[in-house]
Amino acid sequence: MSREQRIRVDEILRQPGPDGPRTVDELRSGFRKLMAQMIVPHSGIRTAPTTLGDRPALRVEPTEASDRGADAGPEGGTILYFHGGGWVFGSPETALSLTGNLVAKTGLGAYSLDYRLAPEHPFPAAIEDALSAYRALLDRGEDPSAIVFAGDSAGGGLSVTTCLAARDTGLPLPAAILAFSPGTDATRTGASMETKEDIDPVFTRAALAHTGAMHLAGADPHQPLLSPAVHADLTGLPPMLIQVGTNEMLLDDSTRLAARASAAGVDVILDITADVPHVFQSFAGVLDEADEALDRAALFLRQRINAGSPRT
């Protein structure tokens, strides 16, 4: 653990912005600029635009898979990835430091989905797109036991709610869920919303309310698909790994989700790293804790894919 590294990351995240609520365009351009600073692996992966369901997506695959076909990595599995951005901004490109490192570390191929964003497309548009993408993988013959859902922030929450939607529509469930700092409580009732506000370098209550209102568009936040950490029945969900930092206002989105999953009989690992911010894994190559967390995430994904593979 490097105190100097953590201070540097905190400084990057605390760069001053315009006074008052930002427009949608300002939010989107600011996030693109921030995430363009993240380190993406330059070897071991290749990317290509594609479509999944009826949405654009970014295909990220290990270069070793080039002779095996576009849909097969050495481990023979697929990561269906959902980017972060408060359901208002972000894209597969802004999440490439995460998907690129997961692919490089696991040998699995990934599809990073460009789901519809609010305010143009509020809840439940993102879930509809994510479920459609999962159906597309199943329809092309992919084994659900070789598919894992993963995501960060809003996308981490989407990995959970898409799984709930798949379960409730009778689809077979994926092998696992990996969630980096997931947003899982649209009611914003976690104690960490108060206790962590002074140390969180990413969020304020006002900022969360601003983007949250765009996503909700008047919908009641007390719904399982908006607040699974406090209102969803998680029975039957696949094993999940939740990674979160202690310097997050959304810390309790993770802790309560893990407790609720465990109470429902779900295998869950709650992986909390001290003194790091929201989606700290994006800082791979800059922050030691980020690289170590991604190593743990990659091990979890490989284990779950292997656990679902047929025995010979």
Side-chain angles (χ1 to χ4, degrees):
M1 179 182 295
S2 167
R3 180 173 180 272
E4 291 75 19
Q5 290 174 349
R6 284 182 279 119
I7 290 173
R8 175 57 182 150
V9 167
D10 197 84
E11 290 173 345
I12 291 171
L13 293 173
R14 290 185 187 274
Q15 292 298 312
D19 293 333
R22 301 187 188 188
T23 67
V24 171
D25 287 343
E26 287 172 337
L27 287 167
R28 291 172 179 171
S29 65
F31 192 64
R32 283 195 300 270
K33 290 176 182 177
L34 171 65
M35 299 311 292
Q37 301 176 58
M38 304 301 115
I39 298 173
V40 176
H42 292 297
S43 62
I45 67 166
R46 65 179 188 179
T47 65
T50 185
T51 58
L52 194 59
D54 57 359
R55 293 297 303 166
L58 186 68
R59 176 65 173 165
V60 187
E61 62 179 349
T63 52
E64 293 83 356
S66 59
D67 294 331
R68 294 168 54 87
D71 295 322
E75 300 285 341
T78 297
I79 302 168
L80 180 55
Y81 197 88
F82 309 119
H83 68 80
W87 293 278
V88 172
F89 47 91
S91 69
E93 287 72 25
T94 62
L96 194 51
S97 64
L98 294 166
T99 52
N101 274 294
L102 286 176
V103 167
K105 290 175 180 290
T106 62
L108 303 171
Y111 288 97
S112 187
L113 185 68
D114 192 4
Y115 56 87
R116 289 173 294 168
L117 299 174
E120 298 90 342
H121 304 283
F123 172 83
I127 295 175
E128 292 170 348
D129 291 347
L131 189 61
S132 176
Y134 183 49
R135 285 184 185 274
L137 293 178
L138 298 177
D139 289 346
R140 69 175 60 171
E142 293 206 26
D143 186 341
S145 69
I147 299 171
V148 293
F149 289 177
D152 65 280
S153 193
L158 189 55
S159 69
V160 176
T161 54
T162 301
C163 214
L164 290 172
R167 181 199 65 187
D168 293 346
T169 55
L171 292 176
L173 297 185
I177 295 170
L178 167 63
F180 298 133
S181 300
T184 59
D185 178 19
T187 69
R188 307 298 189 206
T189 55
S192 58
M193 288 288 294
E194 301 286 348
T195 61
K196 300 296 182 177
E197 186 168 15
D198 290 340
I199 62 172
D200 190 322
V202 177
F203 293 127
T204 65
R205 271 193 170 274
L208 288 169
H210 182 48
T211 54
M214 295 184 206
H215 178 230
L216 289 173
D220 181 359
H222 300 82
Q223 299 182 48
L225 295 184
L226 283 167
S227 299
V230 287
H231 290 295
D233 175 7
L234 304 180
T235 302
L237 263 60
M240 62 175 70
L241 169 61
I242 305 165
Q243 292 188 340
V244 67
T246 61
N247 290 9
E248 301 196 39
M249 289 179 68
L250 298 187
L251 172 61
D252 283 354
D253 284 39
S254 291
T255 59
R256 290 176 299 157
L257 177 68
R260 195 171 188 85
S262 180
V266 177
D267 291 338
V268 58
I269 301 169
L270 176 62
D271 181 352
I272 302 177
T273 298
D275 300 326
V276 293
H278 187 67
V279 195
F280 66 95
Q281 300 87 344
S282 296
F283 288 89
V286 174
L287 183 66
D288 290 343
E289 290 89 341
D291 293 289
E292 293 163 2
L294 285 166
D295 285 341
R296 297 193 296 273
L299 175 61
F300 171 78
L301 293 182
R302 288 197 303 268
Q303 288 175 329
R304 299 320 309 170
I305 291 291
N306 290 339
S309 299
R311 304 295 187 200
T312 56

